[in-house]
Amino acid sequence: MGSDRLTKYFDILGKGLIVETAPFIFRGMVCKAVQEDSISIGKISELVQSKANLWDTLWPNGMEVLTLYGTEVGKLDWLCAEWFVGVLRESRPDLASLFLGWKKSNTWLEKQIENLKRNIEKQIIS
Amino acid sequence: MVSKNYNLEFGKRLNDSANVDEALRSKVSISRQREIERAQEIADAEHEAKMAELEKKRKTAEADAEKVDKKIEHKPPFEIKGGIDIGQIDLQQAAREAQAELKQMRLEAEQSAARQGQVNDELREKLHSKEIEVLRVTFQAQMDMLTRALESNKANQKSLLDQLADVRETAKALGLAEPHGAGDLMIQVELKKLDLDHQMALRKMTREEKQQDRQFQLDLRRLDDERDSKKAELEMKRKSSEFWQGAPALIGQALSDGMKARQTEGRVAEADSPPPLKERGKFHIEVGRGESGEVDCPECGTVIAVGPTARKAVCAGCGLEAPIRRAKTEEPEEMTGEEQESGFRPTY
């Protein structure tokens, strides 16, 4: 499903619905993305060690897409490292335990989320 | 010669002329009169004779009596005298005792009478109740009989026409002539009218029954349809609510699929070969320096990840924390048979 259809949904449904359902939508996206075999403990460890971008790993141009549609959502107070680890607990408990036990990975995750929020704010301002 | 003054032996002297005729009528002949006188004389003589005789007898009797009296006056040679002493009799005491006894007897008699009266009352009550019971039973029996008779009459009650036929038969048997003329026709006409009314009423009743049945069936069907439509509505509502509840997750999954589809083709996902399971060791985890992997939680069995530089491992399922002890390892070695027994699974 491409961005065209997503744009169409935004146009049809309206912002209010998207704002309310944004956490659920993002949850579904993350669950689906981490189910891939490529997303393993080793892979995440590599990403943490290399300080790579999480969103681009989960989705192609994930940072760009999330920034673009994040502007439509508005407030993202709910998006934090705890929320992300909570989503992983359900779908990938091993990855969740990695973030819980390995402090470096937790710090890295928090940074990734912060970067995303900052980009969205920049986009909104611009 | 007949004198005016008649000296009748038998009657009073008649001096008045009024009785002369009577004397003449009842005149007795001289001879007869003489005969009568003579007889009277004879009778007188006989009477005197008798009287004399009687006098004589009296005298002799008196003489005899005197003799007897003389004999009686003769006293016996001895006398017997004596007396009986019946003791002291107190009549007043006796009277008092008799009165007391009388009073006692009267009291006893009154008590006995009172008891008898009570017994009489009780017996009277019983008799009354028995009589009432008898009346009631009799009445009930009669009522039952009447009821049965009425019911049997009702069951055996014939229709008007049948009764009329019976009456005609009875009349014929008695020898009465059947009335002819307009009366009979009128009766027949009335009977026909009654029959017609009866049939019309029956038809109307049957029609109404059918109509009510039809209406009932229609109502039933309408209610069934309403129920089915409500069920379908509820089912749709449930499905739509389920859809809307899961829609955000579906949208997210769809978005993720869409974004994944932008990947270039030919990219092969890295797949770690699942390392052989090792036996669970102690509470802590021993790994090599810089090594990452996973181990099963001894508590809940959830996979616990081990970071390359992590100092502890936390189970996401139960929150178990396990310290990590890192041993010096130069290169990652191949899994030997012994290492396969431990729980740690390194990732390369």
Side-chain angles (χ1 to χ4, degrees):
Chain A
M1 183 177 68
S3 58
D4 300 331
R5 196 179 286 185
L6 200 60
T7 308
K8 198 167 91 176
Y9 279 144
F10 282 150
D11 290 337
I12 294 168
L13 295 174
K15 272 193 182 176
L17 186 60
I18 294 295
V19 169
E20 287 297 318
T21 56
F24 302 100
I25 294 171
F26 196 55
R27 185 193 205 92
M29 286 168 66
V30 169
C31 287
K32 186 71 177 173
V34 299
Q35 290 297 331
E36 294 289 324
D37 295 335
S38 59
I39 308 299
S40 62
I41 295 169
K43 182 69 180 178
I44 297 294
S45 302
E46 281 178 26
L47 293 176
V48 171
Q49 298 278 62
S50 60
K51 297 180 186 176
N53 189 301
L54 170 65
W55 313 117
D56 291 334
T57 308
L58 290 179
W59 304 286
N61 300 320
M63 192 69 169
E64 186 185 328
V65 173
L66 289 174
T67 304
L68 178 64
Y69 293 110
T71 57
E72 298 294 328
V73 176
K75 281 187 180 177
L76 290 167
D77 296 335
W78 49 270
L79 184 58
C80 57
E82 285 82 12
W83 181 89
F84 198 87
V85 171
V87 171
L88 287 178
R89 253 189 227 265
E90 294 169 11
S91 52
R92 289 294 296 270
D94 53 342
L95 296 181
S97 76
L98 183 72
F99 287 113
L100 286 170
W102 192 16
K103 195 177 175 186
K104 191 175 180 181
S105 66
N106 200 291
T107 310
W108 171 80
L109 180 63
E110 283 176 0
K111 242 185 205 169
Q112 295 301 307
I113 290 171
E114 220 171 294
N115 282 341
L116 178 61
K117 282 184 178 179
R118 208 180 300 123
N119 283 347
I120 291 168
E121 282 171 12
K122 277 184 191 172
Q123 193 74 21
I124 290 170
I125 292 167
S126 63
Chain B
M1 284 215 7
V2 177
S3 62
K4 284 190 182 175
N5 300 324
Y6 295 102
N7 296 323
L8 295 174
E9 293 291 332
F10 299 106
K12 59 183 176 180
R13 197 179 288 266
L14 298 173
N15 292 321
D16 51 346
S17 62
N19 292 322
V20 171
D21 293 341
E22 197 173 273
L24 287 174
R25 252 187 263 118
S26 60
K27 174 178 86 174
V28 178
S29 66
I30 297 169
S31 61
R32 180 72 183 152
Q33 196 172 5
R34 283 180 186 164
E35 283 177 3
I36 291 168
E37 283 176 0
R38 208 179 283 123
Q40 187 69 36
E41 284 172 3
I42 293 169
D44 287 340
E46 283 178 359
H47 180 67
E48 282 179 6
K50 276 184 184 174
M51 289 301 291
E53 193 177 337
L54 284 172
E55 184 70 25
K56 191 179 175 179
K57 280 183 180 176
R58 187 180 66 81
K59 282 179 181 178
T60 51
E62 280 179 1
D64 289 336
E66 282 179 3
K67 284 179 185 176
V68 168
D69 287 337
K70 282 177 184 177
K71 282 182 182 176
I72 287 167
E73 284 177 4
H74 180 66
K75 287 187 182 175
F78 55 90
E79 290 179 358
I80 298 173
K81 285 186 182 176
I84 299 171
D85 185 9
I86 58 176
Q88 292 185 351
I89 297 174
D90 187 354
L91 291 176
Q92 284 180 345
Q93 180 64 22
R96 279 197 290 275
E97 285 174 4
Q99 278 183 356
E101 198 174 333
L102 181 66
K103 203 187 264 183
Q104 182 66 25
M105 284 172 69
R106 197 174 288 141
L107 193 65
E108 284 174 5
E110 282 175 3
Q111 286 176 357
S112 174
R115 277 199 296 276
Q116 286 297 321
Q118 278 182 2
V119 168
N120 282 348
D121 290 339
E122 284 171 11
L123 289 173
R124 202 175 292 122
E125 283 295 322
K126 279 185 185 174
L127 180 64
H128 285 166
S129 62
K130 289 290 178 192
E131 285 175 354
I132 289 168
E133 185 67 26
V134 164
L135 281 174
R136 193 184 63 77
V137 167
T138 313
F139 182 67
Q140 186 65 35
Q142 287 176 355
M143 283 298 294
D144 291 340
M145 254 172 48
L146 280 172
T147 310
R148 273 199 294 276
L150 276 173
E151 284 172 0
S152 65
N153 278 343
K154 267 188 189 173
N156 296 333
Q157 201 172 14
K158 299 176 185 175
S159 68
L160 182 62
L161 289 174
D162 292 334
Q163 285 180 15
L164 188 62
D166 288 342
V167 167
R168 280 186 180 158
E169 287 294 327
T170 312
K172 266 190 191 170
L174 289 172
L176 297 172
E178 198 172 329
H180 296 287
D184 190 23
L185 281 173
M186 288 301 294
I187 289 170
Q188 284 185 9
V189 163
E190 289 297 320
L191 285 172
K192 290 283 183 189
K193 272 187 190 173
L194 280 172
D195 276 339
L196 262 173
D197 291 339
H198 180 64
Q199 279 172 16
M200 277 173 63
L202 271 175
R203 267 192 229 123
K204 190 178 174 186
M205 209 167 66
T206 315
R207 206 170 36 242
E208 278 174 7
E209 263 183 39
K210 279 185 187 168
Q211 208 171 352
Q212 279 174 4
D213 278 341
R214 227 175 283 134
Q215 189 64 35
F216 178 68
Q217 293 295 330
L218 283 172
D219 287 339
L220 263 180
R221 263 186 227 156
R222 184 174 52 80
L223 288 169
D224 282 340
D225 290 339
E226 276 178 15
R227 187 191 62 194
D228 290 339
S229 67
K230 278 191 179 161
K231 260 188 186 173
E233 267 180 43
L234 280 170
E235 188 65 28
M236 275 179 62
K237 274 187 185 171
R238 188 182 62 80
K239 281 184 180 170
S240 72
S241 69
E242 276 177 9
F243 171 75
W244 284 111
Q245 279 170 13
L250 284 174
I251 292 170
Q253 285 176 10
L255 278 171
S256 177
D257 283 341
M259 288 165 77
K260 280 281 183 192
R262 286 183 171 206
Q263 288 176 2
T264 56
E265 294 180 5
R267 183 178 167 187
V268 176
E270 290 173 14
D272 293 344
S273 57
L277 288 173
K278 294 178 183 178
E279 280 183 6
R280 287 186 191 161
K282 300 172 185 177
F283 199 65
H284 62 278
I285 301 169
E286 287 187 2
V287 295
R289 187 174 282 188
E291 207 173 8
S292 66
E294 60 189 32
V295 67
D296 292 330
C297 175
E299 297 286 332
C300 62
T302 310
V303 174
I304 301 174
V306 176
T309 59
R311 289 179 188 174
K312 67 173 179 180
V314 177
C315 174
C318 62
L320 175 70
E321 282 190 18
I324 298 171
R325 290 180 193 166
R326 297 208 178 258
K328 285 185 182 178
T329 54
E330 294 175 357
E331 291 178 357
E333 296 173 356
E334 285 185 5
M335 301 279 284
T336 61
E338 290 175 359
E339 284 174 335
Q340 285 178 3
E341 300 299 311
S342 67
F344 179 71
R345 297 184 293 277
T347 59
Y348 296 99

